[in-house]
Amino acid sequence: MGRNVGTADRALRALIGILALAGAFALGWFSGWMVWAAAAVGVIMLGTAAVGFCPLYRLVGINTCRI
């Protein structure tokens, strides 16, 4: 499993993940089932940013990593 998420992509994913989690739990942007959907999106985005690998990118053949 090699990296397929580049630096700019990782930063954007981290930002989206933080915003999704903050919106779900701290800011009250969502209610009901949308809280858990936003939390799932946030965790997935932060996870893929942390490891530098996105399974969906591999499935469709995208690689934003320059290495």
Side-chain angles (χ1 to χ4, degrees):
M1 175 174 78
R3 288 190 167 181
N4 64 359
V5 179
T7 305
D9 195 2
R10 289 175 78 183
L12 185 61
R13 286 170 179 269
L15 178 64
I16 291 170
I18 290 168
L19 287 174
L21 286 172
F25 296 114
L27 302 175
W29 289 344
F30 305 105
S31 63
W33 64 270
M34 290 180 66
V35 169
W36 300 109
V41 167
V43 167
I44 290 168
M45 293 302 252
L46 284 175
T48 56
V51 298
F53 177 76
C54 177
L56 186 59
Y57 274 14
R58 186 171 194 191
L59 187 66
V60 296
I62 296 173
N63 186 351
T64 60
C65 188
R66 292 185 183 218
I67 295 176

